[in-house]
Amino acid sequence: MTAEDNSISNNGRVVALCGGVGGAKLAFGLARILGDRLTVVVNTGDDFEHLGLHVSPDLDTVLYTLSGLANRELGWGRGDESWNFMSVLRDLGAETWFQLGDRDLALHVERTRQLRAGVPLTQIIGAFANSFGIRAEILPMSDDAVRTTVVTPEGALPFQRYFVERRCAPMVRQINFEGAGKAQPTAQVLAALRDPDLQAIILCPSNPFLSIDPILAVPGLRGVLEAARAPVVAVSPIIGGKAVKGPTDKIMAELGVAATNGAIAEHYRGLLAGLVIDATDAAERDTVGGPTHVTKTLMKSDEDREELARETLGFAARLAAMAGPKRMVSS
Ligand code: GDP
């Protein structure tokens, strides 16, 4: 195999679909390799109005991670943060279940101001990314509101109430994406996915149910992915039957799905050309139902992120070079 077979060519572009913490880690690695040849399409189903502000948790995690500003311990927010605003809110007896750092707050205030002035979210995020020195293109999945709600035995909970306030404790019966039916994909997202130089579409190791599904629920996007000539490759968020962080495995159990790599492949059936799984799950390789690349997928350091990005791009390039069907079938 030549070097070209094993990597993305110099003018090749890549689109990554991504949620927050888990997805942003791989997006960071991809951005290190690809720079401005990377487009990251980010879930906005987690967006909500809080204290009169428009908060976009996943977009902001991607902005902070790709700019190197992220708080690596917490996995959300900025590293260089102070908490005066929260402390005064507490004194006032106001709502404090959702943490907003002082520096982070500026982003929400400015985003809200611009949205109220009629500026599309795509344009706002593009300008924020620019000001943070990010070369990759970061796009919200839509400029229209899509709001994830989680149906539990206690009733339907808005996403952040479920995720942050209730710490994912209520059992998940169903997940809805309010407004998805009427949301429009943006011209920028469609252009990125239809770019003739597109060489791979990567589904980051984000929560498939809460982070990737809302993106696929935007009318037209699933079809564009299905029709894409570039291979769609997912990196599994499940290692050893567990999520690295967050409720992915818990939700899978509650929805009656085993927390396996095969179930991740099955979830993305009709879209995937191949799945990347962790070396500890090598034995699952033959249960995935199609091309599987086994490597270390746990990303602790920046080098881990870049290495997994390189492995994933190499796998996608090999799949693109392969003759035959470009989509995995059900196992
Ligand atoms: P959220 O929106 O902040 O919950 O973030 P995502 O949906 O993007 O990411 C959550 C998922 O990332 C979880 O299912 C984790 O298992 C997965 N994840 C986090 N870190 C890693 C990692 O280092 N490797 C892999 N393979 N998955 C990870």
Side-chain angles (χ1 to χ4, degrees):
M1 179 162 295
T2 64
E4 294 90 82
D5 290 333
N6 201 24
S7 65
I8 299 298
S9 68
N10 284 340
N11 55 358
R13 298 196 54 89
V14 171
V15 173
L17 270 52
C18 172
V21 179
K25 289 196 230 171
L26 183 62
F28 174 96
L30 291 166
R32 261 201 177 182
I33 297 167
L34 296 163
D36 62 6
R37 293 184 291 128
L38 174 69
T39 297
V40 190
V41 176
V42 184
N43 171 40
T44 57
D46 298 8
D47 286 23
F48 72 129
E49 284 278 327
H50 186 57
L51 305 172
L53 300 173
H54 182 108
V55 181
S56 301
D58 284 357
L59 277 167
D60 295 353
T61 295
V62 173
L63 286 173
Y64 292 147
T65 303
L66 264 59
S67 60
L69 291 171
N71 184 323
R72 296 183 78 115
E73 282 77 50
L74 287 178
W76 51 267
R78 296 176 59 131
D80 58 341
E81 195 53 282
S82 60
W83 300 95
N84 299 306
F85 172 72
M86 287 310 293
S87 127
V88 180
L89 271 188
R90 212 163 285 117
D91 294 345
L92 294 172
E95 283 195 77
T96 54
W97 61 273
F98 193 87
Q99 301 279 307
L100 294 169
D102 298 335
R103 288 173 195 269
D104 185 37
L105 188 59
L107 207 68
H108 309 309
V109 170
E110 180 56 10
R111 171 172 35 229
T112 307
R113 183 191 73 74
Q114 292 197 36
L115 283 172
R116 289 196 183 137
V119 182
L121 187 59
T122 297
Q123 196 178 319
I124 299 170
I125 296 300
F128 286 175
N130 241 342
S131 68
F132 286 155
I134 296 171
R135 290 175 61 214
E137 181 182 41
I138 300 179
L139 299 175
M141 66 191 200
S142 175
D143 284 332
D144 300 323
V146 177
R147 297 293 172 260
T148 300
T149 58
V150 180
V151 181
T152 75
E154 304 167 20
L157 296 173
F159 178 76
Q160 296 299 341
R161 292 272 174 192
Y162 162 79
F163 197 74
V164 177
E165 192 180 33
R166 301 298 317 279
R167 295 167 193 263
C168 310
M171 198 185 113
V172 175
R173 287 192 171 147
Q174 196 184 313
I175 300 166
N176 296 330
F177 308 119
E178 313 286 350
K182 282 188 285 173
Q184 298 279 322
T186 63
Q188 291 85 341
V189 169
L190 290 175
L193 287 167
R194 289 178 176 149
D195 192 306
D197 290 327
L198 187 64
Q199 297 203 350
I201 300 171
I202 314 276
L203 307 185
C204 288
S206 290
N207 186 317
F209 305 89
L210 293 173
S211 294
I212 303 293
D213 281 359
I215 305 177
L216 299 175
V218 175
L221 289 193
R222 177 180 279 273
V224 177
L225 257 67
E226 282 167 356
R229 273 199 302 129
V232 180
V233 172
V235 177
S236 176
I238 294 292
I239 301 180
K242 295 220 167 313
V244 176
K245 193 167 185 267
T248 306
D249 51 347
K250 177 176 180 283
I251 291 175
M252 290 175 90
E254 290 165 357
L255 294 176
V257 185
T260 61
N261 293 298
I264 298 291
E266 177 65 22
H267 185 79
Y268 291 134
R269 187 154 51 98
L271 287 180
L272 285 195
L275 182 70
V276 179
I277 67 171
D278 192 73
T280 58
D281 294 332
E284 288 185 34
R285 175 179 220 145
D286 297 330
T287 67
V288 164
T292 308
H293 183 62
V294 180
T295 188
K296 178 185 164 199
T297 73
L298 186 62
M299 295 170 280
K300 289 196 168 151
S301 64
D302 289 354
E303 289 64 42
D304 292 342
R305 297 168 173 190
E306 187 173 335
E307 188 51 33
L308 180 56
R310 206 171 290 288
E311 290 281 330
T312 305
L313 293 174
F315 179 46
R318 291 195 297 280
L319 290 170
M322 250 170 45
K326 292 287 186 216
R327 299 286 177 258
M328 283 167 88
V329 290
S330 186
S331 54

